[in-house]
Amino acid sequence: MPDLSHYFPITSPTMIFFVVLCIILFAPILMGKLRVPHIVGMVVAGVVIGPHGLNILAKDDSFDLFGHVGLYYIMFLAGLEMNMANFMKNRARTFTHGIMAFVIPMAMGFVVNRVVLEYNFMTSVLLASMYASHTIITYPVVMRYGLTRQRSVTIAVGATAITDTLTLLVLAIVGGLFKGEITGGFWIMLFLKIAAVFSVIIYFFPMIARAFFRRYEDNVTQFIFVLAMTFLGAGLMELIGMEGLLGAFLTGLVLNRYVPNVSPLMTNLEFVGNAIFIPYFLIGVGMLVNVRLLFGGADTLKVAAVMIAVALVSKWIASYFTQKIFGMRSVERELIYGLSNAQAGATLAAVMVGYNLIMPDGQRLLNDDVLNGTVILILVTCVFSSFTTERASKKIALESQTAAPEDDGGDDEKIMVPLKHRETADTLLSVAMMMRNRTLNRGIVALTVVYDDSRRAEYQERGRRLLEHVTKTANYAGVMVQTQVRIATNVINGLKHAFNEFNASEMIMGMYGGDECSGKYWGEFIPGLFTGLNRQITIVRCLRPLNTIRRIQVAVPSRAELEPGFYRWLERLARMAENLECRIQFHAKRETLTLINQYMHTRHAAARAEYTYMAHWIDMPALAGGVADDHLFVVITARKGTISYKSALERLPQELTDNFAGKSLMIIFPDQYGEPAEVMTFAVPQHHEQRSAYEMLTTWIRKKFK
């Protein structure tokens, strides 16, 4: 038999990366067949191939590098995907759970360490801080089930930042005591350093992000920028003696609103993290585990058993109290417990600090038994946390699927996006993706209409290239796209026929600038389009990237609530505000605002909606003063002859030109006939116009004395 020890551990970088990729590929497949969480498979695979297992791979610098990257990436994605409105709404729950998840393990651990393990005061404090911290390594599980915006997930993620921050403060204090650095100036300098880094990340990072995203829209460039900001935040935290994962989490929070959840950039960030960085970190954790320690001595087993028991029980008590105090469901408590139970990042930091501190008698503050017990603690809590989170996530996901058909089953949504210019194509596609119903997961129709003239072939080829670009962009975000280059002698008729053939529910198109924004565009093209289409038409002019929009302002005419398409446009704008995580402000009469408020509270309670009374439609131009460059101003208009139509709407193009030049605009012609779509045909006449005597008299005087 050949001596295999000559070939292992593998030292070739090519083969090391090959083995790791094979684990990332096959571990989830195997674990899926065994009905075991994928994360467990990664950790177990690390145990098997590691230096304490079959010694196939040595834990070299690549695992340290990618391990740090993976841990930071988990914390960054947690902050990036957190619903900030939900976070603010649940900040009391988050703060309460974070404090209990630190205080209860700290107090219980200190008592057990002193009484059962008989450690001295300082060792007991440092070891207790290890129980208090936790790492949300099971966050990819809730990502896979689409539960990142559940309030229980928000609470657990926010509490992670609180517990790890307090744990790292304990580490800094213990380290300072042993180095003789604890003086009056120590506390002042520690506070100033923390305040300085927090200020830089919270105030300057968003300014840098806004300036960058305004100038560069390429997905690759944005991806590299976001990664650079993440590790800059982590590096700044390490510079002041804190753990970098806190900086990564804060960076994710401040960049949250600049990376929409449905954007290609978010898809790329999740893909790279789940495909490479996070699995590398999990495999590296497994390689730390020495299974032989389980049979190596009674002291190690005793320490490990005590550490595991305290960590599991204390975190469960904290989760139980959070559930009871705030009246949450048991499945939410289970999910919070699963997410806040695993020990990894801050725990490793704590044990290494204690292991490297030498007491006056020459012994280490945390001995070999604690170090080995910590490794076993990490393995057990990671496996336990994975099973708990998987079970709770599956329960919540099944509940959501059961309720979904009641809300969305009757939606006939199919969005058509006519495209003409490359410069506006990505923006229009992004608007469609922001407004679409992700639960239904229906595709988008992208269309280019080409004149049937002597340059038809040239325009066809240009249209195909544009649609290929749009398809690639949509695929990055996981959205299906149907495309068509349509030849027509009349653009309006081409759009109408395509709309009918695809059985579309609504249309999103660009508001073109230059000569096309003339009287011909508003006087012939737009009226010619919506007089033949009775479904919702949205016209967009966005002068800055959507992810930098800070507020959506919506001007709603009186009697808009009487239109059949009222809830369709309201639903689309609410989705857009939630995906952009920006504020949405409605300007309308009180009866209209009441219905809007009821709908938003019922269907989109997480959206940050504001309601402002607007007495008359003639006050609409006065709103221009409150529309900033990073606002999107939306006008809900009406077709002539419909219930909410008023003669003042005829002046809308000129008012927008005069008062809203240089602003991002959206004009919505609501669905005239509403749902179901089968009752909509081009042959059905429009409603009769309802006009007051005052409007009729004003019109007569204007014509008489013109």
Side-chain angles (χ1 to χ4, degrees):
M1 292 292 293
D3 187 3
L4 297 180
S5 62
H6 292 298
Y7 303 97
F8 298 110
I10 297 173
T11 57
S12 169
T14 304
M15 294 307 298
I16 290 175
F17 201 68
F18 169 74
V19 172
V20 171
L21 290 178
C22 287
I23 294 173
I24 296 173
L25 175 63
F26 292 110
I29 297 175
L30 179 60
M31 292 298 106
K33 293 184 179 296
L34 298 176
R35 299 184 181 277
V36 175
H38 300 171
I39 292 176
V40 176
M42 299 293 178
V43 176
V44 172
V47 176
V48 174
I49 69 168
H52 304 297
L54 300 179
N55 197 29
I56 296 175
L57 296 180
K59 194 175 185 302
D60 58 9
D61 293 340
S62 67
F63 285 96
D64 292 333
L65 172 63
F66 281 97
H68 272 81
V69 173
L71 180 57
Y72 294 163
Y73 216 94
I74 290 175
M75 295 301 296
F76 168 69
L77 286 180
L80 194 64
E81 296 199 346
M82 183 178 291
N83 187 328
M84 294 307 296
N86 198 16
F87 177 75
M88 295 303 296
K89 181 179 178 180
N90 293 286
R91 59 183 180 274
R93 297 181 177 91
T94 301
F95 183 78
T96 302
H97 179 66
I99 295 299
M100 289 193 298
F102 176 80
V103 172
I104 293 176
M106 192 79 183
M108 183 181 296
F110 178 79
V111 172
V112 172
N113 294 338
R114 293 283 286 172
V115 175
V116 179
L117 299 180
E118 299 180 347
Y119 287 149
N120 60 41
F121 178 86
M122 196 62 66
T123 301
S124 299
V125 170
L126 187 58
L127 188 55
S129 70
M130 294 167 53
Y131 308 140
S133 68
H134 60 263
T135 304
I136 50 172
I137 69 163
T138 55
Y139 190 76
V141 174
V142 298
M143 287 173 58
R144 192 171 71 249
Y145 282 97
L147 304 177
T148 57
R149 301 202 166 197
Q150 287 281 333
R151 67 172 180 176
S152 49
V153 176
T154 301
I155 292 171
V157 170
T160 301
I162 295 173
T163 57
D164 286 358
T165 300
L166 295 175
T167 298
L168 295 173
L169 285 175
V170 172
L171 294 184
I173 294 170
V174 171
L177 285 172
F178 269 82
K179 296 176 184 178
E181 297 176 351
I182 300 297
T183 62
F186 172 83
W187 299 105
I188 298 175
M189 286 303 299
L190 180 63
F191 174 79
L192 290 177
K193 288 189 292 186
I194 294 175
V197 173
F198 270 62
S199 299
V200 170
I201 295 177
I202 293 174
Y203 293 106
F204 289 102
F205 276 28
M207 295 170 57
I208 298 172
R210 277 196 300 270
F212 185 88
F213 285 128
R214 286 178 194 169
R215 178 171 295 184
Y216 302 101
E217 298 187 32
D218 178 69
N219 288 325
V220 176
T221 306
Q222 291 184 351
F223 177 82
I224 299 300
F225 169 77
V226 170
L227 280 189
M229 296 298 289
T230 301
F231 289 96
L232 175 59
L236 290 175
M237 278 295 173
E238 291 180 344
L239 192 64
I240 64 171
M242 303 291 285
E243 190 65 27
L245 56 89
L246 179 59
F249 176 73
L250 281 177
T251 304
L253 282 182
V254 299
L255 296 183
N256 184 294
R257 65 175 308 275
Y258 301 104
V259 186
N261 207 39
V262 295
S263 64
L265 177 57
M266 176 63 82
T267 304
N268 293 338
L269 288 168
E270 291 179 347
F271 171 78
V272 173
N274 292 327
I276 299 294
F277 294 143
I278 296 176
Y280 239 110
F281 164 69
L282 296 172
I283 294 171
V285 170
M287 296 176 75
L288 291 172
V289 178
N290 188 350
V291 181
R292 298 182 183 88
L293 294 177
L294 296 174
F295 313 99
D299 291 338
T300 298
L301 290 178
K302 177 183 177 182
V303 172
V306 170
M307 294 174 69
I308 292 169
V310 173
L312 294 179
V313 173
S314 60
K315 292 293 184 181
W316 186 89
I317 293 174
S319 303
Y320 178 79
F321 282 165
T322 301
Q323 177 209 352
K324 293 302 181 183
I325 291 173
F326 297 105
M328 302 173 69
R329 297 180 298 155
S330 58
V331 68
E332 292 181 293
R333 178 201 67 215
E334 186 178 359
L335 185 55
I336 293 174
Y337 179 52
L339 287 169
S340 59
N341 194 26
Q343 309 283 328
T347 303
L348 285 173
V351 73
M352 294 311 298
V353 167
Y355 189 75
N356 292 325
L357 290 176
I358 307 300
M359 294 187 293
D361 59 1
Q363 295 185 357
R364 298 181 182 274
L365 183 62
L366 297 181
N367 57 27
D368 291 333
D369 291 335
V370 175
L371 179 63
N372 296 331
T374 301
V375 176
I376 299 173
L377 169 70
I378 290 173
L379 175 62
V380 173
T381 55
C382 286
V383 173
F384 189 86
S385 177
S386 299
F387 279 101
T388 305
T389 306
E390 183 87 20
R391 184 173 60 248
S393 298
K394 189 175 295 184
K395 289 180 183 177
I396 295 177
L398 289 174
E399 292 175 359
S400 302
Q401 290 176 2
T402 304
E406 180 181 347
D407 296 330
D408 303 313
D411 198 337
D412 66 335
E413 176 186 278
K414 192 171 188 181
I415 301 174
M416 172 179 281
V417 185
L419 302 172
K420 183 177 182 181
H421 301 298
R422 176 72 175 264
E423 295 77 17
T424 59
D426 288 341
T427 298
L428 294 176
L429 183 65
S430 298
V431 171
M433 289 191 294
M434 297 282 179
M435 290 185 171
R436 68 189 286 267
N437 189 332
R438 285 192 291 166
T439 304
L440 296 177
N441 197 27
R442 293 174 183 165
I444 294 171
V445 178
L447 175 75
T448 297
V449 178
V450 175
Y451 278 117
D452 188 10
D453 58 12
S454 59
R455 301 181 64 184
R456 183 188 66 187
E458 176 189 345
Y459 291 141
Q460 276 184 296
E461 181 60 28
R462 187 184 301 174
R464 290 192 189 97
R465 290 198 299 267
L466 177 58
L467 294 180
E468 286 176 1
H469 167 75
V470 168
T471 302
K472 186 183 297 184
T473 302
N475 289 340
Y476 279 142
V479 178
M480 297 181 297
V481 177
Q482 292 177 268
T483 61
Q484 183 185 78
V485 179
R486 191 179 190 90
I487 301 173
T489 57
N490 183 284
V491 174
I492 296 176
N493 290 336
L495 291 174
K496 291 178 183 178
H497 294 315
F499 189 93
N500 199 28
E501 289 173 10
F502 281 104
N503 196 25
S505 64
E506 57 213 273
M507 181 185 296
I508 299 175
M509 59 185 299
M511 183 190 303
Y512 302 117
D515 295 336
E516 292 171 301
C517 197
S518 61
K520 183 177 181 181
Y521 179 73
W522 288 104
E524 297 180 15
F525 183 81
I526 297 300
L529 184 62
F530 68 63
T531 52
L533 295 178
N534 299 319
R535 307 308 300 272
Q536 179 170 298
I537 300 175
T538 302
I539 306 174
V540 181
R541 183 186 75 189
C542 198
L543 303 180
R544 60 188 302 149
L546 278 176
N547 58 345
T548 62
I549 296 295
R550 188 167 53 89
R551 181 184 292 265
I552 299 174
Q553 298 202 48
V554 189
V556 186
S558 58
R559 301 196 298 271
E561 69 277 10
L562 302 178
E563 296 283 359
F566 174 71
Y567 290 110
R568 180 182 290 275
W569 64 256
L570 182 55
E571 174 68 21
R572 302 311 187 251
L573 291 178
R575 290 177 191 164
M576 190 172 180
E578 284 189 334
N579 286 320
L580 291 175
E581 296 197 6
C582 65
R583 297 185 183 275
I584 182 168
Q585 183 177 5
F586 296 95
H587 303 269
K589 286 195 171 183
R590 288 191 176 87
E591 52 269 24
T592 308
L593 291 176
T594 300
L595 289 176
I596 293 175
N597 190 2
Q598 291 174 355
Y599 184 86
M600 295 294 291
H601 181 74
T602 303
R603 295 291 298 271
H604 299 278
R608 295 181 294 170
E610 300 175 2
Y611 309 93
T612 305
Y613 174 68
M614 184 174 67
H616 303 286
W617 187 250
I618 58 176
D619 297 333
M620 192 271 292
L623 300 177
V627 179
D629 291 339
D630 55 358
H631 291 188
L632 175 65
F633 187 68
V634 182
V635 179
I636 308 301
T637 184
R639 296 168 171 85
K640 190 172 184 177
T642 55
I643 298 174
S644 60
Y645 179 81
K646 47 182 58 63
S647 58
L649 291 172
E650 296 177 3
R651 302 190 298 274
L652 180 61
Q654 190 62 42
E655 289 175 345
L656 294 178
T657 303
D658 295 341
N659 300 289
F660 295 90
K663 309 293 185 183
S664 296
L665 297 175
M666 178 182 291
I667 302 174
I668 298 179
F669 293 88
D671 198 345
Q672 184 176 337
Y673 288 97
E675 300 174 6
E678 288 72 21
V679 303
M680 187 277 290
T681 64
F682 295 151
V684 179
Q686 296 181 335
H687 291 293
H688 293 292
E689 180 181 1
Q690 296 185 7
R691 303 177 64 187
S692 65
Y694 172 78
E695 291 174 335
M696 294 175 65
L697 179 61
T698 304
T699 302
W700 181 84
I701 294 174
R702 187 183 302 114
K703 290 181 179 180
K704 191 70 174 175
F705 297 99
K706 186 175 181 180

